[in-house]
DNA sequence: CTCTAACCGAGACGGTACGTCACGTCTTGAG
DNA sequence: CTCAAGACGTGACGTACCGTCTCGGTTAGAG
């Protein structure tokens, strides 16, 4: 997020940044998200929970949004890997169920939703989300894997939007309602489109 | 939103509430949303812009979210009425283009997005959005109108989610990118599903 | 200190400022000065001790220095009134003993010393102290009263400086050391100067 | 100030401390005091200006006060040596004028005033100032020299307080106002006291 | 035509989070 | 063991916004 970024940068002088502090912050954010929710996520609170100075947090990330993005990105990659199944249908259903679970119970998913929320109000956050969208990226991975057996899957972000859009919409608008029925029917429809000879 | 709601409640004594103040607040919110964005939307700022006391705002609505909801609901009904077209395809495309324009330029749409964002962090707002979702309601209206010519359209919120979900997702994640291509392909797919004998 | 100053100013609109909050702050400052000393005097601490919002403190006074000045000025007038004595010598000795006690034990006096200290670093505070110096003003009052029996007392701030300067210097440099001997000898000297026909 | 103090302690091992760093710090403090004033005197700022590590500063001195004390003490001895004059009066006037100039323009004098200010809030600094007071020591030197021709000069710190107290008071309270008139009259009075047969 | 009650504007109130700054300590690699 | 550099934990700073309260003044229906 912040500068210094990708290791290297040759020899830095002075005391090196504490990786320990960095992961403590990310862990604290994860914990607090599930325990108290985003509304109770204070910079001061994060720092205290992580046993870290406030300034240190600002040294690594410029915004609360950047912390959330990092917390979300890192775990999303792991949590949104759909296990291989026998059929495309089962694989898509599994993935969307992962997505739903991710968005409703996983710290990373809660972070993603808060991030998406903040992006609607803060253009800086919007830019961040626009560039690195863990949900869309995971969907792209799954679709790439299925492209052989589903010749109709379009390229780029369109297919990803068509896949996860309805589930995301349901979770954003009705976080409490289960999306299982929606997922089943939605996958059925998508298969009807993508597997056929058309398009 | 607040009590007193729908006129009624017979005869109240004392000075009646100023309808003038109420619409001034809604107008101020609309203006400030397009001029400065949600981040600069302060209760104090709204009151001052509307030439209204702060307490008066809280008399009509309990939260900033309730104001946004009212500002969004009222205009959304007008702005999301798809004009009748010759074909179902054209009608759906028109509707989704309306949706995209609503979400990106209309004050009511910006309010809706901010509201949806806030709902991810504040359960009270989430309840509000879950009960009255202008986007889903408009989609339901359109789908009802087309149900005769599209026998495959499922009932309830599933179809609405499938219709608007991808477009909303695109706008939420990439507000700047045009969704025209996505809309065209998406409608084409939906028609393939809904018009056929299957499902 | 702050604007609003001298009452009147005709009809103000809005909720009037809470005199209760104002005196609570001044009382809190007095208490904390004797209990913990100036170093522990935090704006946040003052506000909490006074049961008052932080912004309220800033509404009444712009600086910590302005609070101290007000706390000092108000009490200094009362605490530095030398009781009438039979002789000029006794009256001056009484006054200087009051000054010493004021500077070492009274909250107002501790505030004055901290203020004087801050004035050496902050030009804004220096201006404040230069305009309203409770110590000098009290000395001037005493000297005015004695001018009849001491024809040699010069006008203006010179006499006041000559009277209180040595005692203040002693207290500033050696707060712990008693100044009684210094006071006795100093008054004796001053009388030798001021009572004579010279000057 | 810090340990190691007076050279000695025989043979230390490891890299010897850099005297160059020490004087660079003192020079930086002097410069910054006249350029920006005490308020802008930061430990980090001093170190950077001196081209020195922060830890190095703390190795030589424990507090900012100790640096100021050293900066003040060293130069005060030179700057407060009253040149020999024909008369006691002229010598005292010269000395007090030096004092005034010292306190208002000299870096060492500004440091002394800031130190005196800090001493009112911090007992540790108060102890420091109480033990080594450059102003009082210089006054004692002058008075010792004049004791032969002024038989009435009392011993100890009383005379010093009586001599410099009024001038210091004037400078502390009204740094901008010239003290020339005060000095002339004050010396005249002191001579009336000290030269006479009385006391 | 008053009385009364709820409204209106304005703005101060007690809280709390923000991002910055300075402190004094700790941790690098180099000398 | 010291040096320059700079990150570390701590905590105060002044600002902004929240939602409530308290003013004087306004506007209706009830007596």
């Amino acid at each position: 997020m912040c500068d210094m970024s990708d290791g290297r940068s040759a020899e830095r002088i002075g005391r090196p940044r504490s990786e320990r502090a960095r992961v403590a912050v990310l862990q604290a954010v994860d914990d607090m998200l599930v325990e108290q929710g985003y509304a109770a996520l204070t910079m001061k609170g994060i720092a205290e929970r992580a046993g870290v100075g406030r300034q240190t947090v600002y040294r690594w990330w410029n915004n609360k949004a950047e912390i959330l993005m990092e917390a979300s990105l890192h775990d999303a990659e792991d949590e949104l890997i759909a296990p291989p199944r026998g059929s495309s249908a089962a694989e898509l259903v599994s993935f969307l169920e992962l997505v739903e679970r991710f968005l409703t119970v996983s710290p990373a998913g809660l972070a993603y939703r808060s991030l998406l929320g903040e992006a609607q109000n803060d253009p800086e956050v919007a830019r961040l989300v626009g560039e690195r969208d863990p949900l869309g990226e995971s969907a792209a991975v799954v679709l790439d894997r299925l492209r052989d057996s589903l010749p109709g899957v379009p390229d780029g972000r369109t297919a990803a939007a068509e896949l996860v859009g309805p589930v995301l919409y349901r979770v954003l608008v009705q976080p409490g309602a289960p999306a299982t029925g929606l997922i089943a029917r939605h996958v059925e429809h998508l298969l009807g489109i993508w597997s056929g000879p058309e398009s």
Side-chain angles (χ1 to χ4, degrees), chain A:
Chain A
M1 295 314 145
C2 226
D3 44 293
M4 150 170 226
S5 44
D6 45 1
R8 302 300 13 84
S9 76
E11 318 301 312
R12 309 282 268 91
I13 62 177
R15 176 175 176 172
R17 290 199 188 166
S18 155
E19 186 69 15
R20 190 203 132 279
R22 187 179 146 275
V23 301
V25 167
L26 293 174
Q27 187 58 50
V29 167
D30 267 17
D31 294 347
M32 296 174 77
L33 270 177
V34 300
E35 292 173 12
Q36 313 164 256
Y38 174 88
L41 213 59
T42 298
M43 291 303 260
K44 182 174 175 241
I46 294 171
E48 287 176 353
R49 171 76 170 243
V52 146
R54 201 124 52 96
Q55 196 71 56
T56 301
V57 182
Y58 285 107
R59 229 188 306 273
W60 283 89
W61 302 275
N62 290 319
N63 309 316
K64 191 151 54 176
E66 289 190 352
I67 312 182
L68 287 178
M69 180 55 100
E70 183 152 354
S72 181
L73 266 179
H74 181 268
D75 292 342
E77 298 177 3
D78 301 339
E79 300 180 18
L80 292 179
I81 297 177
R85 304 283 181 139
S87 69
S88 300
E91 205 144 337
L92 287 177
V93 167
S94 292
F95 174 69
L96 289 185
E97 284 172 349
L98 281 180
V99 167
E100 192 206 359
R101 207 149 46 238
F102 171 75
L103 292 172
T104 50
V105 308
S106 155
L110 297 177
Y112 177 75
R113 277 170 59 195
S114 295
L115 206 49
L116 206 52
E118 213 69 4
Q120 307 314 308
N121 308 329
D122 184 339
E124 178 63 22
V125 182
R127 195 186 51 73
L128 221 63
V129 175
E131 290 176 354
R132 291 286 266 126
D133 173 34
L135 194 55
E137 293 175 13
S138 299
V141 168
V142 170
L143 289 172
D144 274 349
R145 214 169 47 191
L146 297 182
R147 206 174 302 274
D148 291 342
S149 51
L150 293 175
V153 172
D155 293 334
R157 295 182 128 165
T158 298
E162 214 159 17
L163 177 58
V164 301
V167 175
L168 177 66
Y169 169 72
R170 164 64 60 95
V171 174
L172 292 185
V173 172
Q174 294 192 295
T180 322
L182 174 77
I183 288 175
R185 195 144 30 191
H186 181 47
V187 168
E188 185 184 351
H189 287 170
L190 288 178
L191 288 179
I193 298 166
W194 288 340
S195 60
E198 66 281 43
S199 180

